[in-house]
């Protein structure tokens, strides 16, 4: 690793292959994957149908260019719009790219509607990416530190607080959009109240704003529906996707509908690699496998099983503040920073991570079995109980 930039605190393990919900290291040891590449590998590892589809596509076309028609891109756009209720799609390569595209769409929309200084209301603890604009929208001071001056155009308010949104809009008449994750991942697995999401939709309709929902982590079946916003029975104006859409093949997209559609024209936005034949074939196959194998239903059932298992395991344990989430986005909040549990879990052959310093995040593949769901609880619960039983100063 001598020539790699020091941008990650990597764990002392490298994996050679995987199968389903398991990964194998260079010594052949098996690990239960409760992280799925941070909500990316929804189909698990080496899913036979997915592998066969990629092998077939590599033998035909990997890349042409967006100056030509790409049939796989067209088919994936049709499929996503049918599932989401959106009208059009732009494909990129990542969640940050998708979110950057959404921000550009708001700016262009503002210019076209007499609001050239359009402001976007964003949420505390939000995570939208690491480009300069998406970083400015992100609610992590730690992530933003050292990158000033960041782009302007954002008004930050508390999450799940409709009164704060209304107050912010009263202070600044340039508001053009409201942006949120209906289930914050990096923000500590915080679930938006359904009434709050519906109130935001009504407020945006009242003022002619765009309601934008970042589904980069929560989308593509992870919560038990195709998209997290569907639990609130609302229709956003803009949606961003990435992570689970490609099952490990880089892809991202921004979807628009209604008044947010038709904002971009030729030359307004673009990408070299986005929407290529290989990535879009990966997206198409991912959606079909999720549907054919009932993986959304599995995500809902296994998520409930895991949360119930942890709630039972931690009943009466003072150091555990909450077990929460939806589908296979699960957070366990402790009363202290718990980063060292990642290494302890690794030693127990379980892959997890920690966000917001004190929240254990579990986002296993959608293909996880009931037995594997129980095994996650069996491996992790004793580690957590021992951790919180130690004095806080010693555990920190």
């Amino acid at each position: 690793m001598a020539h790699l930039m020091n941008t990650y605190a990597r764990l002392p393990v490298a994996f050679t292959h995987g199968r389903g919900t398991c990964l194998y290291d260079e010594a052949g040891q098996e690990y239960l994957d409760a992280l799925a590449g941070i909500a990316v590998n929804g189909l698990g590892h080496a899913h036979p149908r997915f592998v066969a589809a990629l092998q077939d596509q590599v033998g035909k076309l990997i890349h042409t260019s967006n100056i030509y028609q790409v049939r796989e891109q067209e088919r994936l756009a049709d499929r996503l719009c049918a599932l989401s209720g959106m009208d059009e799609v732009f494909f990129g390569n990542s969640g940050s790219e998708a979110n950057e595209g959404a921000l550009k769409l708001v700016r262009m929309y503002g210019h076209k509607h007499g609001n050239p200084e359009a402001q976007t209301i964003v949420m505390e603890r939000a995570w939208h990416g690491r480009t300069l604009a998406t970083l400015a929208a992100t609610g992590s001071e730690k992530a933003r530190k050292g990158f000033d001056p960041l782009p302007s155009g954002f008004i930050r308010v508390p999450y799940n607080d409709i009164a704060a949104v209304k107050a912010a809009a009263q202070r600044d008449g340039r508001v053009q959009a409201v942006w949120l994750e209906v289930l914050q991942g990096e923000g500590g697995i915080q679930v938006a109240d359904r009434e709050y999401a519906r109130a935001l939709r009504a407020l945006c309709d009242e003022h002619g704003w765009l309601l934008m929902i970042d589904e980069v982590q929560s989308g593509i079946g992870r919560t038990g529906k195709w998209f997290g916003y569907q639990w609130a029975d609302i229709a956003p104006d803009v949606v961003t996707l990435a992570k689970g859409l490609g099952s490990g093949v880089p892809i991202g997209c921004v979807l628009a509908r209604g008044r947010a559609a038709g904002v971009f024209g030729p030359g307004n936005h673009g990408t070299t690699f986005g929407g290529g034949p290989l990535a879009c074939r990966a997206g198409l196959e991912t959606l079909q496998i999720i549907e054919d194998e009932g993986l959304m239903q599995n995500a809902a059932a296994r998520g409930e099983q895991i949360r119930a298992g942890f709630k039972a395991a931690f009943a009466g344990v003072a150091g555990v503040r909450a077990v929460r989430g939806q589908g296979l986005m699960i957070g366990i909040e402790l009363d202290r920073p718990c980063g060292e549990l990642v290494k302890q879990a690794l030693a127990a052959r379980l892959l997890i991570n920690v966000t917001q310093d004190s929240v254990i995040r579990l986002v296993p593949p959608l293909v996880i079995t009931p037995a594997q769901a129980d095994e996650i609880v069996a491996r992790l619960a004793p580690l957590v109980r021992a951790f919180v039983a130690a004095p806080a100063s010693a555990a920190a």
Side-chain angles (χ1 to χ4, degrees):
M1 299 194 297
H3 298 290
L4 294 174
M5 286 192 181
N6 187 28
T7 54
Y8 296 96
R10 289 181 169 89
L11 292 166
V13 64
F15 299 109
T16 59
H17 63 287
R19 183 68 61 182
T21 311
C22 294
L23 283 166
Y24 300 86
D25 68 13
E26 293 168 310
Q29 298 180 104
E30 181 181 275
Y31 296 73
L32 184 56
D33 185 2
L35 192 58
I38 313 183
V40 170
N41 300 105
L43 303 182
H45 305 281
H47 190 290
R49 274 183 58 183
F50 187 69
V51 169
L54 293 190
Q55 290 173 333
D56 176 70
Q57 188 61 46
V58 167
K60 294 177 179 177
L61 276 178
I62 296 175
H63 175 77
T64 55
S65 170
N66 280 307
I67 65 174
Y68 309 111
Q69 296 175 342
V70 180
R71 297 304 184 202
E72 294 83 3
Q73 182 181 134
E74 295 167 6
R75 288 196 292 271
L76 182 56
D78 289 346
R79 188 82 174 100
L80 287 171
C81 286
L83 295 173
S84 66
M86 307 302 280
D87 295 330
E88 61 182 21
V89 186
F90 175 89
F91 288 104
N93 305 285
S94 68
S96 288
E97 271 193 44
N99 286 340
E100 186 84 13
L103 291 174
K104 288 180 69 177
L105 188 151
V106 170
R107 297 289 181 90
M108 180 67 73
Y109 184 91
H111 277 271
K112 289 185 173 182
H113 290 80
N115 187 8
E117 297 182 355
Q119 304 291 298
T120 298
I121 293 176
V122 295
M123 307 300 158
E124 293 178 359
R125 296 192 308 269
W127 186 275
H128 296 300
R130 291 189 182 273
T131 66
L132 287 176
T134 57
L135 194 59
T138 288
S140 168
E141 291 185 12
K142 179 180 178 181
R144 295 197 306 268
K145 186 176 181 180
F147 294 105
D148 293 325
L150 290 169
S152 59
F154 302 101
I155 302 169
R156 201 174 313 280
V157 301
Y159 190 64
N160 253 340
D161 187 341
I162 191 67
V165 176
K166 292 178 179 179
Q170 288 176 347
R171 292 192 300 269
D172 194 322
R174 299 171 297 171
V175 172
Q176 190 68 76
V178 177
W179 199 13
L180 80 156
E181 303 148 282
V182 288
L183 206 170
Q184 289 185 330
E186 300 293 334
I189 313 297
Q190 304 285 345
V191 184
D193 295 334
R194 294 178 190 179
E195 295 76 13
Y196 168 71
R198 292 169 188 150
L200 284 177
R201 175 68 277 175
L203 191 64
C204 288
D205 288 339
E206 178 184 348
H207 293 281
W209 302 338
L210 301 180
L211 178 60
M212 307 201 303
I213 297 185
D214 180 340
E215 294 266 8
V216 167
Q217 191 164 150
S218 58
I220 314 301
R222 180 152 292 280
T223 67
K225 290 184 182 287
W226 283 114
F227 311 101
Y229 67 80
Q230 291 174 328
W231 288 101
D233 294 319
I234 61 171
D237 302 299
V238 179
V239 177
T240 53
L241 300 171
K243 287 188 180 291
L245 179 57
S247 298
V249 176
I251 189 172
C253 63
V254 52
L255 301 90
R257 75 169 186 98
R259 60 177 176 265
V263 173
F264 288 146
N268 290 148
H269 196 42
T271 172
T272 294
F273 293 107
L278 180 62
C280 288
R281 179 73 182 274
L284 285 163
E285 198 67 25
T286 294
L287 297 177
Q288 195 61 53
I289 292 171
I290 289 174
E291 187 174 81
D292 290 348
E293 298 188 2
L295 297 184
M296 282 187 292
Q297 296 87 341
N298 191 62
R302 300 290 76 75
E304 178 59 34
Q305 177 186 348
I306 292 169
R307 288 191 299 277
F310 280 122
K311 287 177 181 178
F314 299 142
V317 178
V320 179
R321 288 180 172 169
V323 176
R324 58 177 177 258
Q326 192 165 34
L328 288 175
M329 284 186 72
I330 300 163
I332 304 167
E333 184 175 1
L334 307 187
D335 65 354
R336 67 199 72 176
C338 58
E340 73 176 60
L341 278 170
V342 175
K343 289 185 178 179
Q344 292 182 18
L346 184 70
R349 307 291 181 258
L350 176 67
L351 305 183
I352 66 169
N353 83 335
V354 167
T355 186
Q356 291 293 305
D357 295 327
S358 60
V359 180
I360 300 165
R361 174 170 50 177
L362 304 170
V363 281
L366 308 189
V367 296
I368 188 171
T369 67
Q372 289 169 335
D374 284 341
E375 186 63 22
I376 289 174
V377 177
R379 294 190 196 185
L380 184 57
L383 300 179
V384 173
R385 285 196 296 263
F387 180 79
V388 297
S393 58

